[in-house]
Amino acid sequence: QSWYMQSFFELLEFENRKPEDPHALNDFLETLIEIRNRHNDVVPTMAQGVIEYKEKFGFDPFVSSNIQYFLDRFYTNRISFRMLINQHTLLFGNDINPAHPKHIGSIDPNCNVAEVVTDAYETAKMVCEQYYSAAPELKIEEFNAKAPQKPIQAVYVPSHLFHMLFELFKNAMRATNELHEGSKEGLPLIKAKVTLGKEDLSVKISDRGGGVALRKIDRLFNYTYTTAPTPSLGSKRVPLAGFGHGLPISRLYARYFQG
Ligand SMILES: Nc1ncnc2c1ncn2[C@@H]1O[C@H](COP(=O)(O)OP(=O)(O)OP(=O)(O)O)[C@@H](O)[C@H]1O
Ligand SMILES: [Mg+2]
């Protein structure tokens, strides 16, 4: 809570600053960057808090559905804020990003979906290899109904797409390893299918990790639902699973642009 109060007060300082003030824009930029950094760890901190609350007060379906509702709004709000802060700092900041000169802030007008899939896979693979002796391989298929043989592109925020895919890959890798670790045949592939139809673009990730029982499917999008042990906040390793936040937050990112 104190993070939010402090950030709010810091922003209020700008209420009466004049745009003619030559330092105003730059000070605002620096404040935004500080605010962004201050709130970097909101998700694991909040997740830890909800887990502690449940441990102390037990499970109550009414409180639990209120928490779900609150967290959906809270994290959607966080996604919006960070999108706007990033957009501002990228557009008004002085450094141009040499790796992505064509991006408009955080938006890529020609986002190559398969490239983001590969990036997210590679990053998840590095995390996976810290926990298991191997990570499953990836096979990507593209089906472009509009322009066959051409790579599939979209106007999108690559970091959002990356986030969703990274979460799905971590889940798929954990499930695959839990079922097949050490098996003689090795780990079965993870498949990614990127499809562009007449209207929609879809990315499907599938794994051979044994899936989820139909009876439990509804719970997957509940915050804190997890079958992994709770990761410790102080650990230097990036957790592969355990907060039960991966899927519900990915769904918020998808919905943010009506996906
Ligand atoms: N591909 C999958 N195969 C089998 N089970 C899965 C798969 N993806 C998710 N699950 C189940 O759904 C649960 C919730 O997934 P979710 O990504 O929301 O949380 P998590 O992976 O446990 O923790 P984190 O917040 O770190 O992602 C997992 O703990 C797992 O039991
Ligand atoms: Mg997960």
Side-chain angles (χ1 to χ4, degrees), residues 167 171-172 174-175 207 211-212 220 225-227 241-248:
E167 293 299 332
N171 287 352
R174 172 171 167 248
D207 62 70
V212 180
L220 295 198
Y225 175 76
T226 180
T227 51
F243 284 121
H245 268 52
L247 288 176

Side-chain angles (χ1 to χ4, degrees), residues 14-219:
F14 291 90
E15 199 184 1
N16 298 317
R17 296 273 293 263
K18 298 270 175 300
E20 299 80 50
D21 172 353
H23 300 295
L25 191 59
N26 207 41
D27 291 349
F28 185 59
L29 189 75
E30 277 169 19
T31 302
L32 282 184
I33 292 172
E34 247 172 64
I35 290 176
R36 181 172 60 203
N37 292 341
R38 178 174 306 129
H39 295 255
N40 272 344
D41 289 337
V42 160
V43 176
T45 309
M46 197 69 191
Q48 181 83 13
V50 178
I51 290 169
E52 282 172 18
Y53 178 89
K54 281 203 169 154
E55 277 168 5
K56 191 147 183 223
F57 297 100
F59 176 83
D60 171 338
F62 179 70
V63 174
S64 181
S65 89
N66 279 347
I67 292 179
Q68 296 296 320
Y69 178 71
F70 167 77
L71 288 179
D72 267 342
R73 291 173 41 119
F74 177 75
Y75 289 132
T76 303
N77 179 279
R78 182 172 187 272
I79 293 171
S80 308
F81 263 118
R82 292 178 85 79
M83 169 90 205
L84 292 177
I85 290 180
N86 286 341
Q87 209 59 10
H88 185 95
T89 55
L90 286 164
L91 293 178
F92 289 88
N94 301 323
D95 28 71
I96 321 156
N97 185 346
H100 304 289
K102 292 204 173 127
H103 286 196
I104 300 150
S106 54
I107 302 164
D108 183 353
N110 308 102
C111 174
N112 183 319
V113 179
E115 268 175 27
V116 183
V117 172
T118 312
D119 264 7
Y121 165 80
E122 292 295 340
T123 314
K125 184 178 172 191
M126 284 196 298
V127 179
C128 176
E129 284 170 348
Q130 296 189 12
Y131 293 84
Y132 299 99
S133 52
E137 298 287 312
L138 170 71
K139 185 176 162 215
I140 304 188
E141 266 176 17
E142 275 190 88
F143 181 70
N144 189 339
K146 273 193 178 160
Q149 313 306 329
K150 287 230 174 92
I152 294 175
Q153 294 187 332
V155 182
Y156 210 75
V157 178
S159 60
H160 289 189
L161 186 58
F162 177 94
H163 183 101
M164 294 181 258
L165 293 162
F166 176 58
E167 293 299 332
L168 294 178
F169 280 127
K170 279 190 300 177
N171 287 352
M173 288 176 183
R174 172 171 167 248
T176 306
N177 262 307
E178 290 291 309
L179 195 67
H180 300 275
E181 197 184 20
S183 92
K184 263 187 267 142
E185 294 81 38
L187 299 172
L189 295 171
I190 296 177
K191 287 187 192 158
K193 185 155 190 180
V194 185
T195 311
L196 180 65
K198 281 201 190 89
E199 290 190 19
D200 303 311
L201 194 165
S202 74
V203 184
K204 286 185 185 169
I205 310 289
S206 60
D207 62 70
R208 304 282 287 278
V212 180
L214 188 62
R215 184 170 59 82
K216 296 182 182 162
I217 282 280
D218 284 346
R219 297 178 213 168

